[in-house]
Amino acid sequence: MLPDRFQAVSPLAYDEGMPPEESLPMTSPAQLSNRLRALLMRIYPDRDTDQLTTEVIEAFWPDAHAARKRARKPGNTLWSQKDALLITYGDSLIDGVYKPLDLLRDFLSSHMPGVVNGVHILPFFPFTSDDGFAVTDYRKVNPTLGDWPDISRIGGEWHLMSDLVLNHVSSQGTWFNAYRQGQPPYDKFFYEASPDDDLSMVVRPRITPLLQEVETAMGTRHVWCTFSHDQVDLDFRNPEVLLEIIRIIRLHVDAGVKIIRLDAVAFVWKEPGTPSIHLPKTHAIVQLLRVLADFAAEPIVLLTETNVPKAENLSYFGQLNEAHWIYNFPLPPLILHAMLSGDAKALSNWQRAMPPAPHGCAYLNFSASHDGIGMRPAEGLLPDEEIARMIQTVQETGGLASMRALPGGGTAVYELNTTFFSAMQRTYKGDDGQQVDRFVCSQTIVMSLEGIPAFYIHAMLATPNDLDGVARRGMNRAINRHRWNYPELREKLADPGSDQARVLAAMSDRLRLRSKQAAFHPNATNFTLAVDDRVFAVWRQALDRSQSIFALHNVSAETVDLPPRALNLIADEHWVDLLSGETLHPEEDGVTLAPYQCRWITNRA
């Protein structure tokens, strides 16, 4: 069970439904050791595995910490329909007086109770670039945001997710400075390669040179930089790197973190002559972290961040032995396409072919993130001409595009940089004045699908593109990383006619309603319906089959009339649209959807 201080908020039901510990086979410390030993032997076959196993256990369970006697079993009771997350930077809200983390906590307590029960605070460490993802010191909180007690207070009131930036650190950070000076153990912490190595197959999300030449106490070295020259890749071939990352996870957990986001995890193991993404030892490292999470006394959920095509992304579920959650990365570009084109066919076709999450796993659904809208997951799901049309339409609203290098030369769009609200300003046909309705429809799709919904704060707040921020900071991603002046935001939220108040009210109402529906459990049945190309429709059914919800979303600016018996309704049931409160007789009258209208039609209101 969670500690008492977490009971006031609807908890992730980590241990609900689990039989008493004494009724299950006990797992001895030897079994934990054996699991770790087998994985360490795969990762470091030339090392003393017994010694490494002891060091891993001591790194994760120091001092008075103790492992569980048995590992948590995979199960669908680890989360419920009550779970939803807000994604935010620690300084998305500022006023020049109070600590940003205090302002965030005030916003959460004022506007989010019953709406979300978790918060993902993007990297809150000291950094030099990429808004936190070039960490200089993993053991400190960025003093411009607050300090560890501020993090722990939020973690005591909400299910807190933090970023484990485990692939790279800042080129100006404490670890890399020690590396350049030849100080052990950091002199072997960073991945070195030669310009003569075969690096032609390496998959990367950037177009900057992969290797950076640096002068060190050991002489000239070329260090591997997957993302930028200010983000130098760690060398997990050295087990000391893994041990230090494990100690940092323990620091997060002790501070109240429940969900660990494994940032850029797909790239952590690299080898010249290979794509250096999704390598077997990368998966083995994730499996090792899962063993630690399963044996931890504290409830820990692992989320992998792998913005890649479908099959590669799904691989991080493993055999129920890797991530608990994975991002549903194809969702943002496919929702964007549906809303811009007024055609849900591609979105429906993709969802129809998506497997349900394995037992004990869940998808994390979202449309908007701090990075923009990734386009790689759309590969193979949308024709090139449709992708080009989407890019053009978003650019017409002031959006931008970031590029990536292709193996063998050339570039392609890696992501669209825009707020999702601004992207909804127009469709392929132009600006029609229906931005708010279109946007709320897009976010309702996120709420309706199998999985756990997550919402970037700038989606919740209908934030427009911050083009001044792009000009001031000189990077495309600043367009979607606005810092709201908190008093100004509060004024807008107090004005019921503002975009911010309208969107936050609509999304809050729907999320509160969603949290009460058993059919919206993250692992409840999700069946895609073929009703009309303008309507994205799914049937959700509760795990115990007590409730059905037909979630219908008109992605077009046209009124859509669905004929009687378009839905597979249970006979003699009483059907109500949860969103409008209407009693419906769809088996007799059919269902009408106004432009961008959504309906949650259920037999148990």
Side-chain angles (χ1 to χ4, degrees):
M1 294 295 294
L2 292 171
D4 290 342
R5 64 195 178 104
F6 296 106
Q7 296 304 311
V9 182
S10 299
L12 285 167
Y14 290 99
D15 287 320
E16 289 180 11
M18 295 291 287
E21 186 167 307
E22 61 269 21
S23 70
L24 292 173
M26 302 295 282
T27 300
S28 70
Q31 289 174 300
L32 166 61
S33 297
N34 288 340
R35 292 194 193 185
L36 292 174
R37 187 179 294 109
L39 289 164
L40 289 167
M41 194 172 296
R42 287 168 51 193
I43 302 168
Y44 304 111
D46 299 328
R47 301 286 181 142
D48 183 338
T49 308
D50 289 337
Q51 177 62 29
L52 267 182
T53 300
T54 299
E55 291 175 355
V56 166
I57 292 172
E58 290 176 348
F60 196 67
W61 287 284
D63 306 324
H65 293 83
R68 290 168 58 96
K69 294 180 180 179
R70 60 183 177 88
R72 287 184 178 86
K73 288 188 175 182
N76 57 19
T77 60
L78 295 178
W79 34 82
S80 78
Q81 61 272 19
K82 298 181 185 298
D83 296 310
L85 296 172
L86 179 76
I87 306 167
T88 181
Y89 280 101
D91 60 355
S92 291
L93 307 172
I94 56 175
D95 69 356
V97 178
Y98 294 100
K99 292 183 289 187
L101 286 174
D102 282 344
L103 298 180
L104 173 60
R105 184 167 176 246
D106 181 78
F107 175 79
L108 290 168
S109 62
S110 300
H111 297 283
M112 293 292 103
V115 178
V116 302
N117 64 352
V119 57
H120 171 199
I121 304 179
L122 290 152
F124 45 75
F125 314 101
F127 69 97
T128 52
S129 64
D130 200 16
D131 283 339
F133 287 93
V135 177
T136 60
D137 192 333
Y138 286 102
R139 298 186 176 277
K140 295 180 180 178
V141 173
N142 184 344
T144 65
L145 303 179
D147 208 338
W148 281 112
D150 304 303
I151 293 293
S152 295
R153 273 192 292 272
I154 293 174
E157 297 164 351
W158 305 84
H159 300 306
L160 178 59
M161 182 195 300
S162 70
D163 282 282
L164 184 67
V165 186
L166 74 169
N167 180 70
H168 50 262
V169 301
S170 169
S171 66
Q172 302 168 60
T174 53
W175 291 5
F176 196 67
N177 285 336
Y179 161 81
R180 295 187 69 168
Q181 295 168 23
Q183 296 177 10
Y186 305 106
D187 57 334
K188 295 181 174 60
F189 259 43
F190 295 90
Y191 198 103
E192 299 174 353
S194 166
D196 297 328
D197 289 336
D198 178 11
L199 306 176
S200 61
M201 297 174 62
V202 173
V203 173
R204 298 184 61 222
R206 300 290 186 273
I207 57 176
T208 53
L210 175 63
L211 300 184
Q212 176 185 186
E213 182 178 303
V214 295
E215 297 301 323
T216 75
M218 301 84 74
T220 301
R221 296 289 188 269
H222 293 86
V223 292
W224 191 293
C225 302
T226 298
F227 290 88
S228 79
H229 283 184
D230 190 37
Q231 294 165 295
V232 187
D233 286 32
L234 294 166
D235 189 353
F236 279 85
R237 295 175 302 181
N238 176 4
E240 289 299 323
V241 172
L242 177 62
L243 290 170
E244 189 60 19
I245 290 296
I246 290 171
R247 295 183 191 105
I248 290 162
I249 295 176
R250 168 50 59 189
L251 175 66
H252 285 223
V253 173
D254 286 349
V257 171
K258 298 292 175 296
I259 308 159
I260 304 289
R261 177 182 183 268
L262 302 179
D263 176 66
V265 67
F267 301 99
V268 297
W269 199 276
K270 55 268 298 175
E271 295 174 4
T274 76
S276 293
I277 185 172
H278 315 310
L279 295 184
K281 290 187 178 182
T282 292
H283 285 280
I285 288 172
V286 177
Q287 290 166 23
L288 185 142
L289 298 182
R290 175 62 182 265
V291 170
L292 299 180
D294 286 347
F295 278 91
E298 308 86 351
I300 299 172
V301 167
L302 297 182
L303 167 67
T304 48
E305 188 264 331
T306 51
N307 193 353
V308 292
K310 170 184 167 182
E312 300 168 46
N313 190 35
L314 289 174
S315 71
Y316 285 87
F317 279 144
Q319 302 298 315
L320 305 185
N321 61 350
E322 294 190 36
H324 297 90
W325 298 351
I326 66 170
Y327 283 96
N328 221 339
F329 275 113
L331 198 53
L334 289 174
I335 290 179
L336 178 67
H337 175 262
M339 306 312 298
L340 297 186
S341 66
D343 186 339
K345 189 187 310 181
L347 177 61
S348 297
N349 287 343
W350 161 76
Q351 182 59 43
R352 191 174 291 114
M354 278 291 289
H359 184 68
C361 300
Y363 294 112
L364 189 73
N365 296 325
F366 70 110
S367 68
S369 79
H370 62 290
D371 284 343
I373 302 169
M375 297 306 293
R376 279 209 68 198
E379 294 173 7
L381 300 176
L382 293 170
D384 290 344
E385 57 270 21
E386 283 298 305
I387 292 176
R389 197 172 183 187
M390 287 169 60
I391 294 170
Q392 178 184 344
T393 304
V394 168
Q395 289 175 327
E396 288 170 355
T397 66
L400 305 169
S402 294
M403 311 302 289
R404 67 182 178 95
L406 297 174
T411 62
V413 173
Y414 173 67
E415 68 186 14
L416 289 174
N417 301 114
T418 178
T419 69
F420 213 89
F421 183 70
S422 285
M424 295 293 98
Q425 181 179 326
R426 62 190 296 130
T427 68
Y428 288 171
K429 296 179 180 180
D431 189 341
D432 57 8
Q434 299 191 73
Q435 181 179 15
V436 170
D437 290 343
R438 188 160 41 244
F439 177 76
V440 172
C441 176
S442 73
Q443 302 309 295
T444 306
I445 292 173
V446 176
M447 300 177 200
S448 301
L449 288 173
E450 173 194 348
I452 295 158
F455 301 92
Y456 189 34
I457 193 170
H458 294 306
M460 281 283 196
L461 298 176
T463 307
N465 285 337
D466 188 351
L467 295 174
D468 290 340
V470 174
R472 184 175 63 255
R473 302 176 64 195
M475 70 174 191
N476 285 358
R477 285 180 168 178
I479 199 171
N480 193 30
R481 299 179 181 180
H482 181 68
R483 294 182 177 93
W484 275 102
N485 177 275
Y486 195 41
E488 177 185 335
L489 174 64
R490 293 178 68 177
E491 288 182 9
K492 288 185 177 293
L493 293 179
D495 175 5
S498 71
D499 289 340
Q500 286 66 44
R502 292 172 64 194
V503 165
L504 182 59
M507 292 180 63
S508 297
D509 287 346
R510 294 186 180 192
L511 281 166
R512 288 190 181 101
L513 189 60
R514 178 191 180 278
S515 70
K516 300 174 183 177
Q517 314 306 319
F520 282 142
H521 186 284
N523 300 112
T525 296
N526 188 106
F527 185 81
T528 309
L529 304 172
V531 293
D532 186 293
D533 286 346
R534 296 166 293 180
V535 177
F536 178 66
V538 293
W539 170 54
R540 304 297 309 279
Q541 186 181 53
L543 295 171
D544 63 2
R545 301 189 179 184
S546 61
Q547 182 188 36
S548 285
I549 295 178
F550 292 89
L552 311 177
H553 316 81
N554 182 0
V555 303
S556 77
E558 303 167 1
T559 297
V560 177
D561 293 310
L562 300 180
R565 305 196 181 282
L567 308 178
N568 300 323
L569 300 175
I570 303 170
D572 303 320
E573 291 276 9
H574 179 72
W575 295 97
V576 175
D577 177 9
L578 291 169
L579 297 179
S580 69
E582 297 174 75
T583 296
L584 301 176
H585 304 281
E587 72 283 3
E588 299 173 4
D589 305 327
V591 177
T592 297
L593 293 148
Y596 303 112
Q597 183 179 6
C598 302
R599 289 189 182 272
W600 287 343
I601 301 173
T602 184
N603 60 335
R604 178 176 288 189

